[in-house]
């Protein structure tokens, strides 16, 4: 049996953006800089992150922060644990978000180690 949605049902259906379209610049987070300039995410509801470690991490955690007011105030959205970050090949995550800007914040950075991160929007 075929089910056909009416025009009103189709119009009311939520959509998820088609995925990463723009690659951001690479940002390096370490004890020298624990956050970076926020990335505009107002045109999408999916962001992808790649993260690779450098040096010898000890207990770092990484937090994805989202702003809903044009990049003025940020709230913690998702925290990646040390166990997640401390893998040789790095990690790749896709997060569904709603906001205007996103940034990453590194907690407990150690001298000589950190993360290379990149957003795909």
């Amino acid at each position: 049996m075929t089910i056909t949605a009416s025009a009103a049902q189709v119009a009311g259906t939520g959509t998820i953006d088609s995925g990463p379209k723009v690659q951001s610049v690479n940002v390096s987070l370490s004890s020298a800089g624990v956050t970076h300039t926020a990335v505009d995410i107002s045109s999408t509801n999916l962001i992808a992150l790649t993260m690779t470690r450098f040096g010898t991490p000890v207990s770092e955690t990484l937090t994805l922060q989202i702003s809903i007011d044009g990049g003025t105030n940020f709230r913690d959205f998702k925290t990646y644990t040390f166990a997640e970050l401390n893998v040789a090949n790095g990690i790749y995550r896709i997060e569904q978000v709603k906001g205007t800007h996103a940034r990453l914040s590194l907690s407990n950075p150690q001298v000589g180690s950190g993360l290379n991160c990149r957003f795909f929007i």
Side-chain angles (χ1 to χ4, degrees), residues 37-105:
T37 303
V39 176
D40 184 350
I41 60 167
S42 58
S43 65
T44 187
N45 57 356
L46 287 178
I47 58 174
L49 307 164
T50 61
M51 296 161 263
T52 56
R53 64 184 170 94
F54 61 86
T56 306
V58 177
S59 61
E60 291 85 351
T61 59
L62 185 71
T63 303
L64 172 61
Q65 297 177 326
I66 303 295
S67 171
I68 60 171
D69 62 0
T72 303
N73 298 297
F74 286 86
R75 295 182 187 231
D76 292 352
F77 178 78
K78 169 91 183 211
T79 299
Y80 303 94
T81 66
F82 175 70
E84 289 177 287
L85 300 174
N86 192 28
V87 292
N89 295 328
I91 61 174
Y92 177 78
R93 298 287 188 267
I94 297 176
E95 302 291 349
Q96 186 169 357
V97 298
K98 185 67 176 165
T100 60
H101 291 80
R103 71 178 183 189
L104 297 167
S105 177

Side-chain angles (χ1 to χ4, degrees), residues 13-14 17 46 54 61 76 84 87 107-109 111 116 121:
T13 304
D17 203 339
L46 287 178
F54 61 86
T61 59
D76 292 352
E84 289 177 287
V87 292
S107 299
N108 198 29
V111 174
N116 288 317
I121 307 204

